[in-house]
Each structure stands twice: as C-alpha cells, then as structure tokens.
Amino acid sequence: MSKKNYITTPIYYVNDVPHIGNAYTTIIADCFSRYNKLMGVPSFFLTGTDEHATKIAAAAHSKGLDPKDFVDNLSASFRKVWQDLDIEYDDFIRTTEPRHKDVVQAIFKQLLDQGDIYKGTYKGWYCSPCETFFLESELVDGCCPNPECRRPVQLVEEENYYFRLSAYGDKLLAYIREHPDFLMPESRKNEVVGFIKQGLKDVSITRRNTGWGIPVPGDEGMVIYVWFDALINYISAAGYLSDADRFTSLWPADLQLMGKDIFVRFHSTFWPAMLMALNLELPKHLIGHGFWTINGEKISKSKGNAVSPAQMAQELSEKSGASPEVSRDVVRYYLARETTFGVDGDFSFDTFYGRYNSDLANDLGNLLNRTLGMLSSYNDGKLPAPCQGELRKEICDAQTAYVRGMEAFAPNQALDAVWTMINAGNKFIQDKAPWQLKKEGRKEELGSVMFSALETIRAAAIMISPFMPNTSKEILKQLGLSGRPLLWDDIICSDPFENAGEVKAQPIFPRIGGKGQAKDTKPEKQAPAAEEKKEEYISIEDFAKLDLRVGKILSAERIEGADKLYKLTVDMGSETRTICAGMAPFYEADYMVGKSIVVIANLQPRKIRGVVSHGMMLAGEDENGVKFLSPEAELAPGSKIR
Ligand code: MSP
C-alpha cells in the first residue's frame, strides 16, 4: 500500500465544547489535509478525543453520571462540532475504544519487558488540569508553572511505574540537530532544546486505579497515565500492532499539529522518546502553533469569554446576511489568514467583521460580482469564447507563491498570494474599462477581458477550496461549473469553461454596514457592471484602523538602484523610523529634511529594495505633480491624526 500523507491533531479533552482556540488546530489541520487532496496527494487526517483524564471522571461524578456515558455523549458532541465546521477527518479515535486500549497495554508490556519502564516510588507536585507532575523547584508561587494554567497543585506520593525518559536526552538532541525541520517554528524548537539540555527526569506513567483509565497489564490496581495513553493514539489509530498494511501506509506521520502549551514537554520530548523506545520512526514535522486570546485576554472558562466557531459563524450570518455555509467558511478563513501560523493571535468581532468586509465583501466578492455583472450586461449572461487569458502570469505567480506558503506550513502566506491575484483581477477590470470597450464596439478585446476575469475568479475558487470549501463550490456553481472535480493542475487550461452550465450570479458576501447594524441587515443587491458601480463607503471603524501620525523628517537619502525612492529617517515622537518614499522625482532630498509629514504608522512593514519601510508617508497628485501632506501648523512628532 502506498504511503499517505498523514496529518494529526491533538485529541481533545471532552470536558467542554471547543472554543476558537482549540478549534484552531483542527481547522488548520483540515486545511492542510484538503490542500493535499487538491494537489492529488493521498492524505489521511486523524483527530479524536482524549477521554481518560482524571478531571473527566471527576466532572462525570459531579453530575452523578457514569464516566463512560458522560464521555460517549461529549465525544459525539465533538464530532458534531467538527461536522458543522466542515472538518473532513478520515478517522476519529477515542481513547476508550478497545482498538486503542489494547495497543496501549501491549506497548506498556513491551517497554516493561525491555527495561524502558520500571517500578519505583514517586513524590511530586501534581497539576490536575494539566495532568502533569512538577518538581518543587519548577513551581511558580507554589502553583502550576504552565503560564496558561497557574492553578494550585497537590503533593502526591505513590508507588508508580516510570518511563526511562532520562535515557533519551542525548538521542533526542542528536535527532533534532540532524533533522532541522522536525520541530517548528524555530523559536519553539530552541525552547525544546533548552528543556532537554536541563536534563530529563524519568516520568511517572501510572496512577492509582480509581475506576477510570486503562489498567496496567498484570497490575490492575493501577491505571496508565493519561498522557502516555493519549500520545499512543497517533499510532493505535494508524494500525500499530493491529493492521500492518495500514500502519505502513500511514506511519511516520507527516504533520503533527498542536498548541504551544503541549509542544515542548509532551510532543517534542516524551512522544519522540516513546517512539525511539519502540524503535519506530519519528514524525516528519511537529508544529507548535500560538495561542488565541479574545480582545487581548486569555480564553478562560471562569471569565466566560470563550467564543465558539459556531457562535462566530452565526453572528456573522445574522449581521451580514451571508449564508450559514459561507459564514462557517469565513471563520476558517479568518483563523487561517489573520495570524502567522506559529505566533499568537487575538480575536475580536471587530477584526473578524473587518476582514470579512475588506477581503471577502470588497475584494473577492467584488471580483465575482463585477465579472458576472459584465457577462450579464455585455454578453447576455453567456460565457465568452476561450482565449489566451491576460492574467495568466498573475495566476501562475499566485500558484507558485501559494504552494511555497503551504509547503512552508504558512497558510496565511498562501492566502496572501491568492489575494494578490484577486486584487490584480479587480485592477485589471478597472484599467481595461470594459464599458468603454462595449461602447466602442471592440468585441474581441471585451471578450478577452471577460474571459481573463472569469479565469481569475475560477482560479481563486480552486485555490481557496482547502480553506473555504463551501464558498469555493458556490463560486464554481455560479460559473456554471458545478460538480466538477477541483484540480490544481487544471487551474490554467485551454478551455476552463468547456461544457459549462448556466451562469447564475448571486452575491455571496453581503457587506456589513456600520457599527450596530444588526439582524435587520439586508443582503446586498447584485453588483452593477463596473462603470455603474456606486461609490463605496467605509465605516468609521474601518477608518479607525488607520494609525495616522505626524512625523518629522530627520534625513533623506537616495536608495541605490532605485530612481524614485528616498530612504527617510523620521522622528515619530516615541521612536525614529525608516520609511521609504517615492518622492525623488518631485523633491530634492535637502528640501525634505525638517518637514513635517503624515504617516500611516500601522502599515505592515515592507522590504523595498533591501530597506525595510516601517510605514508610509501620504502625498497627493494632480496635473502639476505630487505634493506630500503636511499639517497646516506645527504639530509635535507622533501626534495622532483623526
Ligand atoms: N488532551 C490533550 C492533548 C492530547 S494529544 C495526545 C489536550 N487537549 S485540549 O483539549 O486541552 O487541547 C487541545 C488543543 O487545543 C491543543 O493543541 C491546545 O494547544 C489547543 N488550545 C487550547 N487553547 C488554545 C488557545 N487559546 N489558542 C490556541 N490553541 C489552544 O491538551
């Protein structure tokens, strides 16, 4: 059986339904898995539930329920949540299933027989929410040292079985050194190396049997530690010791994803050491992603601030009028695009709606609506004849950058590439002025513009499909391409619309209006053809996103190899910044020094001709040339402009 690309998520504790933080791992994993399928790579995606934690038994007992009935219910509700978010997993493992328990017990026995597990007495501080033992020296103010937890710990002394983790420190360090892409991102890899170098202690892997957990084979007064049990899911589900063919087709995993809280100690140290003890290959890539906060605050049950993906989708749908399917896609899109995979992200409804309006209603929605509007206004709604599309270079460039992003596990970069192409499509329509071509009867050119725009929107629909599967299908349906397989290699082809059905335009992303606009928001109307396009407004919230400041130019110098650019050093009040500006054709450098200017201070830094520009200065243009903007009277550097 040929090897499949095997992707895993952590298995979830079933004590609560997922909020956007823990749904994130699964959504991104699903995007990678769908990307593989799009590229024609056989993929296998595993997720599941971690059901033997002591806190789960405690939660069941506090509700007067039998733990097994309790987890059966909760595990089913997890599946439902994933189904509602269009997560297409290939297998769902539960640690209470016999196929998993049998493998855990067999592994325990094997490692005991070969000396990697031994019996001894253990005394340590136990954090029940994290299911982790700590040394006294590791505690912070007597509490759990995990920065995401910091709850009280209990002193526990037990006779236990231990896993000989201490024997694996050097082997792990050597492996990490020899496989630079094994642990990602780099910053977290360094954390792992630091942790291992401090010296690894053997890990207690059993607990007293209180009726919940997998019993130790031959010593049923004890159960196996929940992390030892849980980590094995990645191989028990893959058929280890039960289905050799399946195991060969899946293991080693290609991509194991998890949050940073469970990356260092468990997935990058304990787990690979267990695999080494079993003489199994290690996964190709382990990625520890960042944490989501909500409005700058840690997501916490006690604060009651958790937002579920279902709630995000529902609120968006009510506010905008977008369909529930599309709204669910927007949640997936937002989480993948908003932050670089690996670093922390902050969610707020404002940024969520802002991204919806700018990227989806404005950019993608606009391209779709204008393109189909053109067809209906200039071609009786019929698809034009195929020709050599004028945006093929932009499409090919997007394909290259997209693949580069996905292969580097940077989904936001892949999406950036798609949006560069979408924006090129919108600009193309504007520049080509199809209404003018129509007026002047330039039929062939008009056909080419329509075809090029259509080809671009079709390419966008295929490229977004791993992230926004419903939206992708809806766009293709509107282009008359329903039910066709999505093929990456087919993005540029001689006749993309061969045998296409009827074109049916239906706006997908109704714009959200100003703040406070709620359930009464009506869906937008079909956008008119480009020349009749009404003026578009932005909300005050959109404007408030710009951080406009006064800056004072301290120096201006030419950038080598760039005719138009100055490298400016600008006093921004609390800091000095470098800003590149295309002012050289219009001003002498000396004239600019000492002038006050208006700067967009929160523009993403950009490298221009080898110089990183932190912000942009504003200028206006008329037939007499370009003039930069300056305050009417002296304003101190750093002053906010509103
Ligand atoms: N059961 C263990 C994993 C065992 S894997 C062999 C567990 N479960 S969990 O339900 O607590 O967490 C599941 C995932 O959600 C983890 O990847 C965790 O890092 C992630 N997240 C939990 N809160 C999060 C945020 N606020 N932000 C991003 N990810 C978050 O740990």
Side-chain angles (χ1 to χ4, degrees), residues 428-549:
F428 171 78
I429 298 175
Q430 204 60 40
D431 291 349
K432 290 284 170 176
W435 51 94
Q436 204 63 36
L437 299 176
K438 174 75 181 170
K439 229 184 247 166
E440 293 167 12
R442 288 149 70 184
K443 253 177 129 176
E444 208 172 301
E445 285 167 68
L446 181 60
S448 170
V449 170
M450 289 191 288
F451 178 81
S452 306
L454 279 164
E455 197 177 40
T456 309
I457 192 82
R458 176 179 170 276
I462 297 176
M463 291 184 198
I464 62 168
S465 63
F467 300 92
M468 307 181 75
N470 299 315
T471 309
S472 169
K473 279 192 198 119
E474 178 59 29
I475 294 176
L476 292 175
K477 186 172 123 203
Q478 297 197 16
L479 297 179
L481 300 173
S482 257
R484 305 241 174 135
L486 294 169
L487 298 173
W488 183 262
D489 291 341
D490 197 28
I491 287 182
I492 298 281
C493 59
S494 55
D495 188 0
F497 301 99
E498 197 179 1
N499 300 324
E502 201 188 333
V503 174
K504 269 206 191 117
Q506 172 78 52
I508 299 177
F509 305 112
R511 261 190 82 79
I512 299 172
K515 202 176 181 178
Q517 178 177 6
K519 305 178 184 184
D520 56 350
T521 312
K522 298 274 183 308
E524 63 175 349
K525 297 252 164 31
Q526 157 93 51
E531 82 278 27
E532 311 147 6
K533 226 172 126 252
K534 299 239 175 60
E535 196 174 356
E536 282 203 336
Y537 294 104
I538 63 161
S539 66
I540 189 78
E541 287 77 21
D542 288 342
F543 173 72
K545 282 191 206 144
L546 289 177
D547 186 16
L548 294 173
R549 305 244 168 206

Side-chain angles (χ1 to χ4, degrees), residues 10-13 19 21-22 25 50 227 234 259 261 289-292:
I11 49 172
Y12 292 83
Y13 293 129
H19 51 65
N22 36 37
T25 324
D50 185 355
W227 268 101
Y234 302 129
D261 57 330
H289 63 71
F291 253 50
W292 282 89

Side-chain angles (χ1 to χ4, degrees), residues 316-338:
L316 177 75
S317 180
E318 287 177 6
K319 207 166 168 74
S320 67
S323 73
E325 293 75 22
V326 166
S327 301
R328 299 200 302 259
D329 277 5
V330 180
V331 175
R332 294 169 57 106
Y333 170 77
Y334 170 87
L335 292 174
R337 182 90 197 269
E338 182 68 11

Side-chain angles (χ1 to χ4, degrees), residues 49-328:
T49 41
D50 185 355
E51 304 184 3
H52 285 133
T54 39
K55 60 187 169 191
I56 289 168
H61 289 136
S62 75
K63 292 192 163 80
L65 296 170
D66 171 60
K68 183 66 172 70
D69 295 341
F70 182 67
V71 293
D72 282 351
N73 266 330
L74 287 168
S75 183
S77 67
F78 257 80
R79 281 179 190 246
K80 172 84 173 61
V81 169
W82 298 142
Q83 193 188 332
D84 289 349
L85 279 170
D86 305 286
I87 302 294
E88 256 183 12
Y89 53 76
D90 296 287
D91 194 3
F92 189 99
I93 182 119
R94 299 182 55 190
T95 53
T96 49
E97 286 177 79
R99 65 165 170 158
H100 173 74
K101 290 198 217 177
D102 294 349
V103 176
V104 173
Q105 288 187 321
I107 288 177
F108 191 97
K109 209 167 160 321
Q110 183 193 325
L111 297 185
L112 186 64
D113 292 347
Q114 73 187 43
D116 273 297
I117 292 178
Y118 64 93
K119 204 169 185 182
T121 305
Y122 188 84
K123 191 171 172 187
W125 294 94
Y126 194 66
C127 173
S128 168
C130 294
E131 302 282 2
T132 311
F133 268 108
F134 295 101
L135 300 172
E136 179 132 17
S137 58
E138 289 179 297
L139 303 181
V140 174
D141 297 333
C143 291
C144 173
N146 176 359
E148 314 304 331
C149 174
R150 292 281 149 84
R151 277 172 275 215
V153 288
Q154 291 109 39
L155 187 63
V156 176
E157 184 170 2
E158 288 174 351
E159 181 160 68
N160 272 318
Y161 289 86
Y162 291 86
F163 175 68
R164 214 177 281 282
L165 185 63
S166 58
Y168 288 91
D170 290 343
K171 285 184 206 154
L172 286 170
L173 287 174
Y175 190 90
I176 294 168
R177 207 171 35 246
E178 284 155 22
H179 299 82
D181 295 341
F182 172 47
L183 303 179
M184 290 192 274
E186 195 68 20
S187 57
R188 273 192 244 297
K189 181 211 288 195
N190 296 338
E191 233 184 288
V192 174
V193 169
F195 175 71
I196 299 174
K197 281 189 174 162
Q198 277 174 14
L200 296 177
K201 306 261 172 329
D202 292 347
V203 187
S204 157
I205 53 160
T206 51
R207 302 280 176 271
R208 211 160 37 81
N209 188 349
T210 54
W212 190 240
I214 302 179
V216 170
D219 198 347
E220 309 244 323
M222 299 208 179
V223 289
I224 295 171
Y225 172 43
V226 66
W227 268 101
F228 187 86
D229 158 356
L231 287 163
I232 289 173
N233 91 87
Y234 302 129
I235 50 177
S236 64
Y240 183 59
L241 302 181
S242 68
D243 183 339
D245 282 350
R246 179 176 163 102
F247 193 60
T248 315
S249 75
L250 295 178
W251 198 257
D254 294 271
L255 181 59
Q256 300 209 264
L257 301 178
M258 74 261 1
K260 63 181 180 181
D261 57 330
I262 56 175
F263 183 71
V264 177
R265 195 180 279 263
F266 295 115
H267 281 88
S268 305
T269 308
F270 193 19
W271 174 228
M274 286 166 68
L275 290 168
M276 284 176 170
L278 292 169
N279 218 3
L280 290 175
E281 276 184 75
L282 304 197
K284 298 249 170 58
H285 305 290
L286 287 171
I287 304 189
H289 63 71
F291 253 50
W292 282 89
T293 48
I294 293 185
N295 294 318
E297 297 204 334
K298 196 171 133 178
I299 305 178
S300 114
K301 223 177 170 181
S302 54
K303 278 199 193 114
N305 65 347
V307 175
S308 73
Q311 184 189 346
M312 278 167 80
Q314 191 183 340
E315 296 208 11
L316 177 75
S317 180
E318 287 177 6
K319 207 166 168 74
S320 67
S323 73
E325 293 75 22
V326 166
S327 301
R328 299 200 302 259

